[in-house]
Every structure is written in C-alpha cells, then in structure tokens.
Amino acid sequence: MPDSPALLAIDGAVATITLNRPDVLNAIDEGLIRTLRDHVDRVADDPAIRAVVLTGAGRGFCAGADLAAALAERAADPQAPIGDGLRTFYHPVVTRLVEMEKPLVTAVNGVAAGAGMSLALAGDVVIAGRSAEFLQAFAKIGLVPDVGSTWLLPRAVGGVKARALTMLAEKIGADEAERLGMVWRVVADDQLAAEAAKTAARLAAMPTRALAMIKRALNDTFSNTLAEQLEVEADLQTQAGRTEDFREGVAAFLGKRPPAFKGR
Ligand code: T3D
C-alpha cells in the first residue's frame, strides 16, 4: 500500500501530523489536502487530544500547492476557478487549525513556501529548524497569497514587512524569520522534533480550555476596538472561571503543589 500523503501519530494527549510527500517537499495535491483535512478534523474533535504538532517529512516543511497538478488542471481548463478548490479543500483546514480549541505547534523542518508558509504561520507556537526557510512564493508565479497568508503574516510581522515579503517574494532563513516575529524559537535541525514534542507535551498538560480561550481572544484582537476586546476578555474570563482546571490551579497554588490539569 502506498504511504499516506499525511501521517497521524497519537502519543497520549499529543497528536503529530506529518505532511508526507517528501520527494516534492510535501507539495499539496488533492490527496494530501483531503488527508490533512481528515486528520485535522479528527484531532480537533477529540477532547483527549490536548496539543497538536504539524511538521513535514524529509528536507522540506511544505512547498505549497503542487504546481504540476495545478498545471494539469489549467491545461484541462485555463479558466477553471482556483478559488473553488481553495474554498473546498484548503479553507476548512486552515480555519480549523487556527480556531481549534487546543494549541498547535508547527515544527518547520525545512522550506515553507506558498500555502505551506500559511500552514506554518497557523501555529500558535512556531518552532523552526536552523535550516528552515520561508517564502511567499505566490507573486513569483503570478498568484496572490492564499490559505490565510494575508491574514496571518501581517499579524505576525506587521504591514510593512508583510507587503515586502509578499511582493518581493524573497526567501528568508529561520534566523531572519525569528527576528521578524514569524517564529517563536529557532533550534538546531536535529533538535527540532524533540523540541516540538517537548513543547506540545508541556502545552498538553496545561489548562486546555484556558489555552483555547486565549487563542480565541488573540485571534479576535486585531479586528476589535478596545471596548469590544475588553468584553471578549470578560466573557472568556467568566467561562474560564467556571472550569475545573481553574479550581485545580488555585487549589494547587494555595496547597503549594503542582497542578494536575485535566483540560476541563
Ligand atoms: O491550483 C492551486 O491550488 C493554486 C494554489 C496555490 C497556493 C500556492 O501554494 S502557490 C505557491 C506554490 N509553490 C511554489 O511556487 C513554490 C515552488 N517551489 C520552489 O520554489 C522551490 O522548490 C523551493 C524554494 C520551495 C525549494 O527549492 P529547492 O531548490 O530546495 O528544491 P527544488 O529542487 O526546487 O524542489 C525539489 C523537488 O520538489 C523538485 O522535484 P524534482 O526536480 O526533484 O523531481 C521540485 O520540482 C519539487 N517541487 C518543489 N515545489 C513544488 C514541487 N513540485 C510540485 N509543486 C511544488 N510546489
């Protein structure tokens, strides 16, 4: 049986999804995006999974959409609407990654280009191997950024850098990406998997519902006024204050013991 284009491994409360078309730097064809969508839905819906890692097999994280497949589609119908495929396959994936109620660690093990860079930036914690590279490849081939890049990138680096990165389409290295604010931490390539697993395990032991609410508040912040954001915080704090994990956190603090959060 051929290898699946995206692998799912579950270890306790941590799920790891690995993009798995290494010969083409994990470029995304229909098989990969469908499988990825299934895995993302599975881990997002499972309350026993409390943190997710997304990474790539081989020397690349993800080179974006498979251009050979894209060319074949255009050959069949030059006017075929690319947006339809984005809506059907890609949008549910990136939306779920950004909105799922658990933290996502992206472990960027090599080049992240085009839609692959969008997936990398969807991480709540983005960790890069030293040899990782980031490329807004779209303008190089006459396309515009998609799969959330125009939403994610300005939030990470600000408008000035986002414009230059997307228009000049220059590949940047991991250290530069960290300097610009796209990456939380850069580690040695041979430490990346361990660092991502350690970070995910740490997040999986934290109060999951509070982390989910932090994620929601931070997703909302750039489109809200201060007054609206204060309301978001107050609503979420009411919900957080009713969780079992909040009671446990306070009891552990007062009892001078480590908390045992259950994600409830
Ligand atoms: O129709 C739609 O769905 C449109 C949606 C668009 C969303 C997008 O993501 S558009 C952006 C698409 N991606 C790109 O334009 C990036 C294309 N790739 C590159 O620019 C370079 O490959 C990289 C900078 C990413 C890496 O360069 P390098 O020198 O490290 O590797 P390479 O030799 O170019 O690639 C290795 C192999 O992967 C090579 O195959 P080969 O020659 O060994 O048989 C190459 O053709 C293949 N590959 C790399 N990227 C893609 C790809 N094959 C298909 N699609 C790719 N995107």
Side-chain angles (χ1 to χ4, degrees), residues 176-195:
E176 175 74 349
E178 185 184 30
R179 198 182 64 75
L180 290 176
M182 266 182 242
V183 163
W184 164 243
R185 190 157 285 163
V186 178
V187 299
D189 289 330
D190 63 1
Q191 295 299 309
L192 178 64
E195 184 68 24

Side-chain angles (χ1 to χ4, degrees), residues 5-261:
L7 309 172
L8 173 63
I10 296 174
D11 180 10
V14 175
T16 300
I17 300 173
T18 304
L19 308 175
N20 189 37
R21 299 184 72 221
D23 292 349
V24 286
L25 306 177
N26 304 314
I28 307 169
D29 64 359
E30 196 177 318
L32 190 152
I33 196 73
R34 280 179 183 275
T35 312
L36 180 60
R37 189 178 57 182
D38 290 347
H39 291 335
V40 169
D41 283 344
R42 156 89 174 80
V43 301
D45 288 337
D46 185 344
I49 292 171
R50 293 168 61 191
V52 179
V53 176
L54 177 66
T55 192
R59 73 173 178 90
F61 175 75
C62 176
D66 188 310
L67 295 179
L71 184 68
E73 279 165 30
R74 296 287 91 68
D77 176 3
Q79 297 304 314
I82 296 178
D84 286 358
L86 292 172
R87 291 186 189 96
T88 305
F89 296 116
Y90 289 76
H91 292 187
V93 170
V94 73
T95 303
R96 211 81 218 264
L97 291 174
V98 170
E99 294 183 355
M100 68 180 174
E101 297 190 324
K102 57 196 73 180
L104 172 69
V105 176
T106 47
V108 188
N109 54 300
V111 69
M117 182 164 165
S118 309
L119 294 179
L121 294 180
D124 298 300
V125 180
V126 184
I127 306 176
R130 181 86 47 203
S131 69
E133 296 174 307
F134 295 81
L135 173 62
Q136 284 285 292
F138 311 94
K140 283 184 138 182
I141 55 168
L143 288 181
V144 298
D146 59 17
V147 193
S149 261
T150 58
W151 193 87
L152 293 160
L153 188 60
R155 280 168 167 73
V157 302
V160 171
K161 307 283 188 199
R163 274 167 207 267
L165 284 165
T166 50
M167 290 192 181
L168 296 174
E170 279 178 20
K171 194 161 62 175
I172 62 165
D175 289 325
E176 175 74 349
E178 185 184 30
R179 198 182 64 75
L180 290 176
M182 266 182 242
V183 163
W184 164 243
R185 190 157 285 163
V186 178
V187 299
D189 289 330
D190 63 1
Q191 295 299 309
L192 178 64
E195 184 68 24
K198 192 173 79 179
T199 305
R202 179 174 156 198
L203 288 163
M206 292 180 71
T208 311
R209 291 189 57 201
L211 296 187
M213 290 184 234
I214 290 170
K215 188 164 169 164
R216 198 182 326 160
L218 292 175
N219 283 343
D220 286 354
T221 192
F222 291 102
S223 50
N224 276 346
T225 62
L226 173 62
E228 288 165 340
Q229 194 63 14
L230 288 170
E231 272 310 304
V232 167
E233 290 175 1
D235 283 346
L236 293 174
Q237 201 68 298
T238 296
Q239 294 177 47
R242 290 174 178 155
T243 62
E244 203 178 310
D245 281 344
F246 171 59
R247 289 194 293 281
E248 167 62 9
V250 174
F253 174 76
L254 295 176
K256 299 190 188 302
R257 63 171 173 82
F261 294 120

